[in-house]
């Protein structure tokens, strides 16, 4: 069996790689989990959860769905609606990775005005010219 993994290695890898890439790299080095088993995505997710290890950072100047939700006081469903309709520009690099959402000043003003005027009850509103 491979050598036991130390937590700092996963912390370092999580800054740069998603869970699937971490699994491939750890198993590629012959490392095993604390139970002596090969790493799986579930094991890495559990380790990250248990030890509060965040995933890779988003691109500079982008926001997560949660951050957009908090900024505008809307539900995550409204943010996903905006993404699906192209109201906000979002990149979703890999499955299960967070969206990287870019909001410029024009879009920010439009969303703030829409939320203030409608109380975010009408999802189609931000697509209209304000």
């Amino acid at each position: 069996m491979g050598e036991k993994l130390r937590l700092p290695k996963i912390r370092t890898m999580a800054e740069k790689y998603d869970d699937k890439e971490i699994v491939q790299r750890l198993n590629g080095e012959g490392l095993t989990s604390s139970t002596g088993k090969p790493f799986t995505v579930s094991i890495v997710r559990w380790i990250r959860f248990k030890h509060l290890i965040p995933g890779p950072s988003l691109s500079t100047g982008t926001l997560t769905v949660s951050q957009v939700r908090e900024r505008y006081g809307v539900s995550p469903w409204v943010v996903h609606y905006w993404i699906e309709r192209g109201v906000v520009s979002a990149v979703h690099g890999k499955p299960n990775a967070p969206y990287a959402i870019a909001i410029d000043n024009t879009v920010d003003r439009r969303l703030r005005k829409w939320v203030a005027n409608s109380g975010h009850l009408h999802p189609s509103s931000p697509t209209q010219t304000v």
Side-chain angles (χ1 to χ4, degrees), residues 30-46:
L31 298 172
T32 59
S33 70
S34 61
T35 59
K37 296 179 181 178
F39 282 93
T40 64
V41 170
S42 296
I43 291 171
V44 171
R45 281 186 185 150
W46 171 249

Side-chain angles (χ1 to χ4, degrees), residues 45-101:
R45 281 186 185 150
W46 171 249
I47 292 168
R48 287 184 49 237
F49 169 77
K50 182 179 177 184
H51 297 284
L52 304 173
I53 301 171
S57 301
L58 296 175
S59 303
T60 303
T62 61
L63 303 168
T64 65
V65 169
S66 293
Q67 290 169 324
V68 172
R69 179 192 65 73
E70 289 172 15
R71 178 185 278 189
Y72 299 102
V74 297
S75 74
W77 310 116
V78 171
V79 178
H80 283 280
Y81 180 90
W82 292 344
I83 292 168
E84 291 168 13
R85 300 299 186 280
V87 175
V88 295
S89 175
V91 176
H92 196 221
K94 298 179 180 190
N96 298 320
Y99 280 103
I101 304 168

